[in-house]
Amino acid sequence: MANSDVKQPRASALLDPLSQPTKTKNVEGRFRHCKSAPTDLFFPQKKSEMEQPKSLLANFHPSFLQVSLALLVYLGVGTLCFALFRHHIKGTKTNATLDAMYLCIVTMTTVGYGDLVPNSVPTKLLASASVFAGMALVGLVLSKAADYLVEKQEMVLVKALHFHEQVGRMEVREEIKTNKVRYKLVMIVGLLLLLMIVGTIFLSIVENFDFVDAFYCVCCTITTLGYGDKSFSTVAGRIFAIFWILTSTICVAQFFLYLAELNTEHRQHSLVNWVLKRRMTHIDLEAADLDGDGNVSAPEFIIYKLKEMGKISQEDIALILREFRDLDVDQTGTLSASDLKLSQSSPAEN
Amino acid sequence: MANSDVKQPRASALLDPLSQPTKTKNVEGRFRHCKSAPTDLFFPQKKSEMEQPKSLLANFHPSFLQVSLALLVYLGVGTLCFALFRHHIKGTKTNATLDAMYLCIVTMTTVGYGDLVPNSVPTKLLASASVFAGMALVGLVLSKAADYLVEKQEMVLVKALHFHEQVGRMEVREEIKTNKVRYKLVMIVGLLLLLMIVGTIFLSIVENFDFVDAFYCVCCTITTLGYGDKSFSTVAGRIFAIFWILTSTICVAQFFLYLAELNTEHRQHSLVNWVLKRRMTHIDLEAADLDGDGNVSAPEFIIYKLKEMGKISQEDIALILREFRDLDVDQTGTLSASDLKLSQSSPAEN
């Protein structure tokens, strides 16, 4: 690996500079000619450039705080409404506020046992509206909060699994990166089993169900099926249910999401391998040769293969090229320091 | 646009060749030197190369037929099991087979009214198993079949919307490509409203619900809430329910999926715009200059910006580069016809 790096400087220059010793680069001058920026300026930039997209995307996402806030507002308003209309709700009742919050959770997660049901026009419309809002909110939690929490736990899991091997921070990161979805799936299955066991034991003890009934009620609940023949009817049960239902239903949904993600990743891998192993023909060579100089350079080859893999589209390229043309002020077909100087002096290129 | 093409041949050569007249390319010889492949061979290849990733990915997906078959098997086995254990099921009964199929649909979609519930250990375990299998299956339908059907209908919708403008096949494709998710969302909202209206009218007439109750039952069903205080209890109602519940619950889920997709696309757009509009600095220039010749060529600029946008990762590049090195047999740093000849003659590079 190290030998081939020396033989093919152009190709290796594209590889992650952080994974190679910095000194080698400076010694072998032909690797990279620092014309404008000093090396110490260059390397931090290279690093931030790689991390930028992730943190940027995170900025465009709703934050964990925002999701939690939306959840709190939804539960607050929902509980208040159902509590105000408590005489329009029929079924097994315990404490008014607790029942309202329990109904709110049972509705938003679409479990819908039916042990408490709205019994008037306003409450029926309220329930109809709150189930749609609840679904949207659960979707938001799924896409953001759950994934975030699982990713945080991943690091701990990988470290725990490789505890005896004394791995460093970088190795753990690398390991997570390669098997990201697999670890997420392991995490969520573990959490799910724990929640199912806790639920079954709780229902057996507090609600006095026999083992099969408790397990059946757990399955009915976490999948949001909620037949309603077995449900939480005690004060203690409903307090537990408020937390347990929300957590476990989101866990099951997240489990299926990760399963789908793993499946997609697996298919993507097959495609990538197929594209990489496909024999290059003269026609491919011609198609990949973007600047028409008869040779395919490393960047041209990368773009050609990325397109074949379906990772990027012709539109992506067209969009960036339009920007390239705007930047190429001296119209040499390449960007250089002179282009930057020209663009800074001309007021139109702001 | 046409003028700038002539001025910057390198950049324009990267743009979609199909969108530009073929003749111009052949006349302007410096655009592309056909050294190995004749032009008539090149253009079809270019076209197939662009369409390849899509059809390839489709091959790696489970087909529409496979999903339909899985659905039929699930419904068949589920109905048979529930019909065999019909005396272990309590609730409002009509016809044995119909009830079994109805319970199967109500379970797999996680509506779970509770108007029919398992009443013995084997049926409870059967229901627990079938709800998990059903969820996985509905997920498969969501990811594949529903999307496929909506995409097919899109073409018709766009054509209908632009009927008076006499648009061609290519323009319709272009229009769909740009506003893909938006059109999908419009389609699904239309379908959903239709299903809700049909459901409400049906429940009012056949199940004798008043208007609010019918609407409330529709909302409870399509969101898979299924309190169960209002459900289908007649033979006609349950026959209708079998088809209507499956369609409408999938529609609602698909609606939320498209909403999330639109949101992601919107955020992605903001990121892409931010990346494109960001001022290039000397440090960027240095980082984008992969072969270290002091200039940033168009392909180098594209790869740099794609990485910034988060569309590709360093791993993607590293993987393709490894392949590039294997192919670059004569180790000139570029691929040419001689590399292909060398690789074909050497048995190691098979």
Side-chain angles (χ1 to χ4, degrees), chain A residues 47 52 54 73 77 87 122 128 147 152 161 169 191 199-200 203-204 209 221 249 254 262 280 282 298-299 322 328:
Chain A
K47 196 182 171 185
Q52 225 171 29
K54 215 173 193 176
V73 168
V77 172
H87 300 300
S128 301
D147 200 58
K152 278 236 156 176
L161 287 176
R169 212 179 149 74
L191 188 59
T200 309
L203 281 165
S204 305
F209 292 164
T221 306
T249 51
Q254 197 75 41
L262 192 71
M280 282 288 277
H282 284 281
R322 214 169 301 149
D328 185 19

Side-chain angles (χ1 to χ4, degrees), chain B residues 9-21:
Chain B
R10 276 158 201 244
S12 68
L14 283 156
L15 278 167
D16 189 351
L18 295 173
S19 67
Q20 291 160 11

Side-chain angles (χ1 to χ4, degrees), chain A residues 226-247:
Chain A
Y227 284 136
D229 52 340
K230 301 281 168 208
S231 62
F232 298 86
S233 52
T234 64
V235 172
R238 289 198 174 167
I239 292 172
F240 172 78
I242 287 170
F243 300 98
W244 182 78
I245 291 178
L246 193 61
T247 324

Side-chain angles (χ1 to χ4, degrees), chain A residues 14-15 33 45 60 107 110 112 124 213 224 226-227 267 276 283 286 290 292 296 314 323 325 335 350, chain B residues 14-15 32-33 45 60 107 110 112 124 213 226-227 267 276 279 283 290 292 296 314 321 323 325 335:
Chain A
L14 283 158
L15 278 168
H33 310 275
Q45 168 63 16
F60 284 99
T107 303
T110 78
K124 279 176 183 175
D213 277 352
T224 79
Y227 284 136
R267 274 187 281 113
L276 283 179
I283 298 170
E286 178 70 32
L290 296 169
V296 176
Q314 194 62 44
E323 181 65 16
R325 282 197 204 144
L335 294 187
N350 203 9
Chain B
L14 283 156
L15 278 167
R32 184 170 281 284
H33 310 275
Q45 168 61 16
F60 284 98
T107 304
T110 77
K124 280 176 184 176
D213 277 353
Y227 284 136
R267 273 186 282 113
L276 283 181
R279 232 194 152 85
I283 299 168
L290 297 169
V296 175
Q314 194 64 42
L321 268 180
E323 180 65 15
R325 284 197 203 145
L335 294 187

Side-chain angles (χ1 to χ4, degrees), chain A residues 12-318:
Chain A
S12 69
L14 283 158
L15 278 168
D16 188 353
L18 294 173
S19 66
Q20 291 160 13
T22 316
K23 271 190 180 168
T24 324
K25 293 227 152 177
N26 290 337
V27 170
E28 300 225 12
R30 64 192 177 107
F31 265 57
R32 184 170 282 281
H33 310 275
C34 287
K35 279 179 181 166
S36 51
T39 326
D40 56 340
L41 252 174
F42 164 67
F43 278 101
Q45 168 63 16
K46 192 80 182 179
K47 196 182 171 185
S48 77
E49 168 227 325
M50 274 159 47
E51 284 173 1
Q52 225 171 29
K54 215 173 193 176
S55 60
L56 248 171
L57 261 177
N59 283 341
F60 284 99
H61 266 96
S63 76
F64 187 64
L65 195 79
Q66 281 172 312
V67 173
S68 313
L69 228 115
L71 202 66
L72 274 178
V73 168
Y74 175 89
L75 279 178
V77 172
T79 305
L80 189 73
C81 289
F82 282 127
L84 284 174
F85 285 97
R86 63 183 173 278
H87 300 300
H88 299 249
I89 292 167
K90 65 170 181 188
T92 326
K93 295 193 179 176
T94 60
N95 170 286
T97 316
L98 179 62
D99 286 354
M101 191 175 258
Y102 171 72
L103 181 57
C104 204
I105 290 279
V106 167
T107 303
M108 94 175 284
T109 55
T110 78
V111 170
Y113 289 127
D115 52 352
L116 283 176
V117 287
N119 199 25
S120 70
V121 173
T123 45
K124 279 176 183 175
L125 295 179
L126 180 67
S128 301
S130 72
V131 66
F132 277 106
M135 276 180 97
L137 199 53
V138 168
L140 206 63
V141 173
L142 277 179
S143 74
K144 178 68 192 171
D147 200 58
Y148 173 82
L149 287 177
V150 169
E151 249 175 62
K152 278 236 156 176
Q153 292 304 312
E154 245 178 356
M155 196 85 173
V156 182
L157 176 74
V158 177
K159 266 188 180 158
L161 287 176
H162 299 273
F163 182 67
H164 58 284
E165 294 168 30
Q166 288 283 329
V167 285
R169 212 179 149 74
M170 282 304 281
E171 277 102 342
V172 172
R173 278 223 178 127
E174 208 48 52
E175 170 76 11
I176 290 178
K177 227 177 195 171
T178 330
N179 293 304
K180 206 173 181 63
V181 187
R182 212 173 291 261
Y183 275 112
K184 279 185 186 173
L185 205 61
V186 170
M187 284 290 308
I188 212 85
V189 167
L191 188 59
L192 201 56
L193 285 177
L194 183 73
L195 281 167
M196 285 177 80
I197 291 166
V198 168
T200 309
I201 293 172
F202 184 91
L203 281 165
S204 305
I205 296 170
V206 179
E207 298 282 341
N208 265 324
F209 292 164
D210 67 44
F211 178 74
V212 173
D213 277 352
F215 177 73
Y216 163 70
C217 181
V218 163
C219 287
C220 277
T221 306
I222 62 173
T223 56
T224 79
L225 178 56
Y227 284 136
D229 52 340
K230 301 281 168 208
S231 62
F232 298 86
S233 52
T234 64
V235 172
R238 289 198 174 167
I239 292 172
F240 172 78
I242 287 170
F243 300 98
W244 182 78
I245 291 178
L246 193 61
T247 324
S248 57
T249 51
I250 284 174
C251 248
V252 171
Q254 197 75 41
F255 163 74
F256 279 109
L257 273 184
Y258 286 151
L259 211 63
E261 211 176 306
L262 192 71
N263 185 32
T264 306
E265 201 179 71
H266 183 77
R267 274 187 281 113
Q268 186 70 33
H269 254 282
S270 310
L271 179 64
V272 165
N273 277 338
W274 184 87
V275 167
L276 283 179
K277 289 297 151 234
R278 206 169 61 85
R279 234 195 150 85
M280 282 288 277
T281 63
H282 284 281
I283 298 170
D284 288 313
L285 213 63
E286 178 70 32
D289 179 19
L290 296 169
D291 57 6
D293 63 355
N295 292 318
V296 176
S297 67
E300 284 173 338
F301 185 76
I302 291 171
I303 292 173
Y304 183 69
K305 286 290 178 187
L306 284 172
K307 257 168 70 184
E308 260 198 322
M309 288 171 190
K311 289 204 187 241
I312 58 169
S313 67
Q314 194 62 44
E315 285 92 72
D316 295 326
I317 297 176

